[in-house]
Amino acid sequence: MVAWIALDAIRGHKPSAMGAAIGAVVGLVAITPCAGWVTAGQSIFIALFITVCCNMAVAWKGYSNLLDDALDVFPTHGLGGIIGTVLTGIFAYDFFARNDPDMISRGEFFWNHILVLGMVFVYTFVMSYGLYWLTDKIIPMRVSGWNERVGLDSSQHGEEYGYESAPGLPTESDWFKGVEEN
């Protein structure tokens, strides 16, 4: 939390309660993959390292238009979990191999973590895509071109704000127009 606030201050942002909360969550995400398996010093290093990485990712995301992530979920939880898992493969070996160091080598232990990380990527992509596809079949996830041109406030909610004016509220048949029809 302190590292996140300090990094925000270094970049010229005013320290805030929101930044403190995000920093606390990132610290927890950072240590979760290896909680109980690393020393106190290693956990502090992991939390600081991941906080710096996640803070830079949030700052980069703010300057680019490549990602649509309003809540900064991937730069904080996603990246924090990925780096935390990799660092677990580096630091947790001593815990697992303390009774039988010949059981697994340090390299095998690390690559097992990378393999599991890859499996999580594939599983997450396949399940997310499948659920998105299923939801899109039940309820279209994208509004029609007509709705976008009119504006979502007017077309979806029947409301107008300020200078916005719609060419007319949608009829019942307009609500069910598909993307292909517009």
Side-chain angles (χ1 to χ4, degrees):
M1 175 171 56
V2 174
W4 191 279
I5 292 172
L7 289 168
D8 280 350
I10 289 170
R11 285 199 335 255
H13 294 112
K14 182 178 177 184
S16 66
M18 179 66 80
I22 292 170
V25 169
V26 167
L28 291 170
V29 168
I31 197 59
T32 297
C34 52
W37 298 332
V38 296
T39 66
Q42 291 169 338
S43 67
I44 290 170
F45 170 79
I46 289 168
L48 287 174
F49 181 76
I50 292 176
T51 299
V52 170
C53 293
C54 290
N55 191 286
M56 289 182 350
V58 167
W60 175 81
K61 187 195 77 77
Y63 295 119
S64 72
N65 293 328
L66 295 176
L67 298 174
D68 183 18
D69 186 1
L71 300 176
D72 294 333
V73 174
F74 184 77
T76 54
H77 286 78
L79 187 62
I82 291 167
I83 298 172
T85 301
V86 171
L87 292 177
T88 300
I90 294 171
F91 292 118
Y93 175 78
D94 294 332
F95 176 82
F96 285 99
R98 70 176 170 209
N99 294 332
D100 188 12
D102 296 329
M103 172 183 68
I104 189 170
S105 72
R106 187 174 292 275
E108 288 175 316
F109 186 76
F110 175 76
W111 287 111
N112 285 343
H113 279 78
I114 300 301
L115 176 66
V116 168
L117 190 60
M119 290 167 41
V120 168
F121 283 161
V122 170
Y123 172 80
T124 303
F125 178 80
V126 169
M127 293 305 292
S128 296
Y129 187 84
L131 290 172
Y132 179 83
W133 178 85
L134 180 64
T135 303
D136 191 49
K137 294 300 177 193
I138 297 169
I139 302 169
M141 299 290 285
R142 180 148 177 112
V143 297
S144 66
W146 180 86
N147 286 325
E148 288 182 353
R149 284 190 300 276
V150 169
L152 297 181
D153 288 333
S154 178
S155 69
Q156 301 296 305
H157 306 291
E159 299 175 352
E160 295 181 27
Y161 296 98
Y163 60 88
E164 298 174 356
S165 62
L169 292 178
T171 64
E172 189 171 317
S173 65
D174 290 331
W175 287 99
F176 298 104
K177 284 185 179 176
V179 175
E180 302 85 28
E181 296 173 6
N182 290 311

